[in-house]
Amino acid sequence: MLTELSTQCKVTGAKQVKRALEAGRALRVFLAQDADPRITESIEALCGEKGVEMVRECSMEALGKACGISVGAAVAALVRE
């Protein structure tokens, strides 16, 4: 599933993912298993509220790499263009 992040339209980071969820643009949200719960809890709640699928199968390092950035990422989302 992480390969989707390298080929499709995405946003990375808690603020951008929250904006995409609130705007109804997020299709699937990826949460790193080793991310700080203070970052991910509010996004998980928003995903539940909006009915957006969550994937928790990766580390911050793997998520960052899949997004094409040189640092780890706690959250990322596939979005509508």
Side-chain angles (χ1 to χ4, degrees):
M1 278 196 181
L2 285 180
T3 56
E4 294 175 295
L5 289 169
S6 62
T7 60
Q8 296 182 22
C9 190
K10 66 188 166 294
V11 293
T12 308
K15 288 181 184 178
Q16 295 296 325
V17 171
K18 281 182 184 178
R19 286 185 193 136
L21 283 164
E22 290 167 351
R25 293 181 53 229
L27 302 172
R28 182 179 298 130
V29 172
F30 295 83
L31 301 160
Q33 294 173 339
D34 56 345
D36 187 336
R38 292 177 293 183
I39 295 171
T40 60
E41 285 174 350
S42 61
I43 293 173
E44 283 185 65
L46 200 50
C47 284
E49 187 180 302
K50 300 289 186 177
V52 175
E53 178 187 0
M54 289 180 287
V55 177
R56 274 191 163 269
E57 300 174 356
C58 58
S59 66
M60 288 180 64
E61 181 182 353
L63 189 54
K65 186 178 280 189
C67 291
I69 58 175
S70 59
V71 294
V75 295
L78 294 176
V79 295
R80 288 183 187 89
E81 293 185 28

